[in-house]
Amino acid sequence: MAGDDAVPGGPIEHPAYGVVRPVTDTASVLLADNPGKMTLDGTNSWLLGAPGSRERIVVDPGPRTRAHIDRIVDAADVPLVLITHRHHDHTGGIPRIARLTGAPVRALNPKYCRGGEPLRDGEVIEAAGVRLTVVTTPGHTADSVSLVLDDAVVTGDTILGRGTTVIDSRDGTLGDYLASLDRLSDVGEGKRLLPGHGPDGADTAEAARAYRVHRQQRLDQVRGALETLGADASPLAVVKLVYADIDKRLWPAARQSVKAQLDYLRS
Ligand SMILES: [Zn+2]
């Protein structure tokens, strides 16, 4: 993997497509070329491994894009693939990376495992010269996990590099999500944020607390909206009032988020 000295003009910055971008001594990222309103600049595939070796654990092979998976496989020897959660922009590449590397694929949800056991909360994994702890962080989805390294945390979509996370109405809940943010603020102190989308951040705990504050503000706004609209207002009516400031194309996502907040407030 190229060090900073190999790059004319200094370190590579996010977003960098098509190149492996070093972030910490043991973590680098390959950004998939799948930008979109729900993926920001695209999905981050994280490569974790000791310096001086080609071995890398792959966290989230990313979307089902041939070129992206081929780049990962060209850049590293892969002994293990880990999955942060079920969304297709993180898991679509599983069949190809499993076929090309023969590495076991492990996720919390057995449906996404290939030749490996489901992940367990608190489990310590050692591979490619690094050690990490699996921490379940449900909320964005029920099967979301974060991976805690010595100096960084891979957060999947639980915390993003910018903006906020959507609670997936299929199986995510705001109650779980708030508890997961608290958990990340406990385990992430002083550790770099390695998110599923967007740029990496200086401190995972700080990011978790900022997300907590933002959620609390939105909850207060939704409570306020219910006072105006009546206690049984629809999610869309609340969106139109509370999210008036955001792009209308984001309303479906906001509606999901508001639905999660209403479920939380009404439960
Ligand atoms: Zn996701």
Side-chain angles (χ1 to χ4, degrees), residues 85 87 89-90 140-141 157 197:
H85 69 294
H87 283 154
D89 54 320
H90 298 256
H140 169 67
T141 61
D157 287 2
H197 303 274

Side-chain angles (χ1 to χ4, degrees), residues 50 63 151 169 195 217 223 236:
D151 60 352
S169 57
Q217 286 168 346
R223 272 196 206 95
L236 188 60

Side-chain angles (χ1 to χ4, degrees), residues 123-222:
E123 181 183 358
V124 175
I125 293 174
E126 289 186 61
V130 297
R131 194 183 143 92
L132 57 87
T133 305
V134 176
V135 175
T136 52
T137 46
H140 169 67
T141 61
D143 71 342
S144 289
V145 301
S146 298
L147 305 168
V148 181
L149 294 147
D150 285 346
D151 60 352
V153 184
V154 182
T155 55
D157 287 2
T158 301
I159 301 180
L160 304 179
R162 64 167 194 275
T164 58
T165 297
V166 170
I167 309 292
D168 188 322
S169 57
R170 207 173 104 195
D171 61 2
T173 75
L174 184 57
D176 282 348
Y177 185 67
L178 293 174
S180 292
L181 289 179
D182 288 344
R183 215 169 170 200
L184 286 171
S185 90
D186 287 342
V187 299
E189 204 72 63
K191 294 180 193 250
R192 209 157 178 86
L193 170 73
L194 311 180
H197 303 274
D200 43 287
D203 190 300
T204 304
E206 210 172 276
R209 287 191 284 268
Y211 264 46
R212 191 68 156 95
V213 168
H214 172 82
R215 286 286 166 180
Q216 206 54 56
Q217 286 168 346
R218 285 297 191 197
L219 271 174
D220 291 345
Q221 287 174 317
V222 170

Side-chain angles (χ1 to χ4, degrees), residues 167-170 172 174 222 234-236 238-239 243 252-266:
I167 309 292
D168 188 322
S169 57
R170 207 173 104 195
L174 184 57
V222 170
S234 73
L236 188 60
V238 174
V239 167
Y243 289 80
R255 189 182 166 280
Q256 259 200 70
S257 178
V258 163
K259 187 177 176 304
Q261 294 180 79
L262 292 174
D263 290 346
Y264 177 76
L265 291 173
R266 287 165 179 165

